[in-house]
Amino acid sequence: MFKTIFISLLLISNIFAFEHLNENNFDEKIKKGNTVVKFYATWCDICKETSNNLSKSKIDKNLNLSIYKVDIGEEVYLTKKYDAITIPLFIYFKDGKEIAREDAIKTTEQIEDSFNKYFQ
């Protein structure tokens, strides 16, 4: 029982590990460098699992990568603008321009591979 509660709390806490973006700060945050924005929903169990994997990912410091998240339930404008129909959705930006997007359950290894694929 304790183990189940602990794991649940850990998964929930990982949702809050990256800065939230909204329509007021989105463009400013993604305009320079390598950026990943994860679109998710708080009720989505797969999103929670992906957040946990994202938190465990080893990110090469040379990638100079910023990671943010957008809650589709709270940020309807951004959800529509970026057509975030399937979640979790990772959108990759380089200097403010979208370069790729991926939607699927992502393991830690898949996340690391994608970061290296798009930003090296």
Side-chain angles (χ1 to χ4, degrees):
M1 173 83 170
F2 176 76
K3 184 177 179 182
T4 303
I5 292 171
F6 179 74
I7 290 171
S8 296
L9 289 173
L10 182 63
L11 290 174
I12 290 169
S13 69
N14 281 327
I15 289 175
F16 304 105
F18 299 100
E19 183 180 350
H20 277 93
L21 297 183
N22 57 52
E23 68 180 284
N24 296 323
N25 67 3
F26 191 92
D27 292 334
E28 181 66 27
K29 294 289 188 174
I30 70 161
K31 75 178 183 181
K32 290 185 180 177
N34 300 326
T35 308
V36 177
V37 179
K38 179 187 171 203
F39 286 79
Y40 77 101
T42 56
W43 48 261
C44 171
D45 289 336
I46 295 168
C47 297
K48 292 173 188 173
E49 180 181 340
T50 304
S51 289
N52 188 36
N53 293 341
L54 182 59
S55 294
K56 292 190 290 186
S57 296
K58 295 177 185 144
I59 302 168
D60 184 344
K61 291 180 184 180
N62 294 327
L63 298 179
N64 194 25
L65 183 60
S66 298
I67 303 172
Y68 301 103
K69 60 186 177 174
V70 172
D71 182 338
I72 65 165
E74 301 225 354
E75 297 301 329
V76 177
Y77 171 78
L78 291 173
T79 301
K80 288 181 180 179
K81 179 179 178 180
Y82 287 96
D83 199 26
I85 296 168
T86 305
I87 55 171
L89 172 66
F90 288 78
I91 302 181
Y92 302 86
F93 296 90
K94 187 166 201 83
D95 297 325
K97 293 185 175 37
E98 182 178 330
I99 59 171
R101 57 176 52 212
E102 297 177 327
D103 59 351
I105 299 172
K106 304 206 44 89
T107 66
T108 302
E109 294 79 18
Q110 289 171 324
I111 291 168
E112 292 167 358
D113 288 346
S114 292
F115 290 170
N116 291 322
K117 175 181 175 181
Y118 297 120
F119 298 120
Q120 279 199 346

